[in-house]
Amino acid sequence: MKKTRFAPSPTGYLHLGHAYSAMQCWSWASQEGGSVILRIEDIDQARCRELFVQGIFDDLSWMGFAWEDSVRFQSQHGEDYQAALGKLQDLGVLYPCTCSRKDIEKALSAPHIEDQSIYPGTCRDNPAAVQEMPHNLRLDVKKAIGITGPLFWTDERAGKQQAEPAQLGDVVIARKGIGTSYHLSVVVDDALQGIDTIIRGQDLFQVTHIHRLLQALLELHTPHYIHHDLLLDKDGKRFAKRLGGGLIRTLREGGQHPANVLEKIKLFSQEDADSQSQA
Ligand code: GLU
Ligand code: ZN
């Protein structure tokens, strides 16, 4: 059976953007006769809260989205990420990096992608005595792609893509104090959980180039990708947790009916707005 996942991080309450993403997952499942699993991406324990995990359960249930029983909490599966990390280390594609955010900004005359600075490779080029200090492990992307050769992946809307992981630079694969990263955990979990279709926002389109490279290095199956458009508010901005706007919980507790929320989402949706304006 076809399978996708909804994978929020419990660092805040769900907002309309999350609800839109959830709607994409669950409508896909009903169209394809597939299922949706729920995964809680809580590797960063300093930022995650039990309260928000409960919020995710409550909000999804209220909106009528049902998930398969076994919810995977990433924080409980460190050994799976360590095993994958070991494989990457054996391939010799990781290197320790002690640079702080400030160091990186200073070293850059600064290429940025979506607010994120591209790591200039300082520690790759100067493998100093960093081993003993707390450090991140970065992926030597050029070396890695040299091992795998050209890679491809497919997005439902954008079609076949040649992976260009170098555009994101040497990303962090294991964060200091955490031992894994979003990139590593998500790739390992999607494979372990047998996810064949990944449905997520367009904002994660670029990172798929890195995920494809990790899949090749770790000899994992590559899923099919659907990167959906992002839900924008009236001012054309993305719904973001930190703005506190459009929280599902607020709507739920304010006595709204879930159907109103799903209608509201459709109104804000770019795709629907486009098709209406063309009609
Ligand atoms: N946990 C990520 C987030 O909350 C989503 C990860 C993914 O879908 O790949 O944005
Ligand atoms: Zn460094």
Side-chain angles (χ1 to χ4, degrees), residues 97-99 119 122-123:
C97 166
T98 51
C99 299
Y119 182 64
T122 321
C123 298

Side-chain angles (χ1 to χ4, degrees), residues 95-100 103-104 119-124 130 136 138:
Y95 63 89
C97 166
T98 51
C99 299
S100 65
D103 294 333
I104 296 174
Y119 182 64
T122 321
C123 298
R124 181 191 60 222
V130 294
N136 293 313
R138 288 186 182 272

